[in-house]
Amino acid sequence: GEPFEARAEFLVGLRRRQSGSAPGKATALALAAPEDGGHLGDEPLIEAAHPAIAGHAAGLCGVLKDGTARLDAAQALYRFVEKEVRNEANLGGPPSGAVACLNKRAGDRAARARLLAALLRSRGIPARVVQGLALGKGAEQPLHTWVE
């Protein structure tokens, strides 16, 4: 098959503790593994059960043999979003959901992340969309969106 390339980044999450809350509790919840069945269903803008999402994910993974590992399915879905869905700046309009991004084959980083999460969830692979700062050497620290 085609080689799959992955890139690892180390991110630092900073959360301001609200007065009266236990130290570390928010961080522990944010970094915790999902509970059984977690991060599989629909959420606002992540329409995993929508027929267009489920059908497209099945079509992309249909060429894979039955019983294919989740990693192979995740790679196929990732490649589709990376190669076939154009990255397009959001100029202040309302956020786009997974279905709109799929239909348009374009979206900003957050919309493309929602699409990937919805495609993964529709195949039974837990996925969540996370936002944080992509720390760099320069003065600008842009907000980044990715899927875990």
Side-chain angles (χ1 to χ4, degrees), residues 52-133:
I53 296 288
H56 202 79
L60 289 168
C61 296
V63 297
L64 302 173
K65 297 175 185 160
D66 288 339
T68 298
R70 285 181 169 187
L71 179 59
D72 292 337
Q75 288 174 351
L77 298 171
Y78 172 82
R79 282 189 183 117
F80 165 73
V81 174
E82 182 64 23
K83 293 180 179 185
E84 304 297 328
V85 181
R86 233 176 30 258
N87 191 24
E88 188 175 84
N90 181 345
L91 301 176
S96 294
V99 173
C101 186
L102 175 65
N103 290 339
K104 191 175 177 186
R105 295 292 197 278
D108 63 8
R109 292 177 188 167
R112 294 172 75 223
R114 288 185 207 102
L115 174 58
L116 179 57
L119 291 166
L120 290 165
R121 289 178 181 192
S122 75
R123 301 303 295 167
I125 302 170
R128 63 182 171 187
V129 175
V130 180
Q131 288 188 324
L133 294 177

Side-chain angles (χ1 to χ4, degrees), residues 9-14 130-136 140-146:
E9 294 179 1
F10 295 92
L11 302 170
V12 177
L14 302 174
V130 180
Q131 288 188 324
L133 294 177
L135 300 177
E140 185 178 333
Q141 306 300 323
L143 184 64
H144 186 64
T145 306
W146 66 95

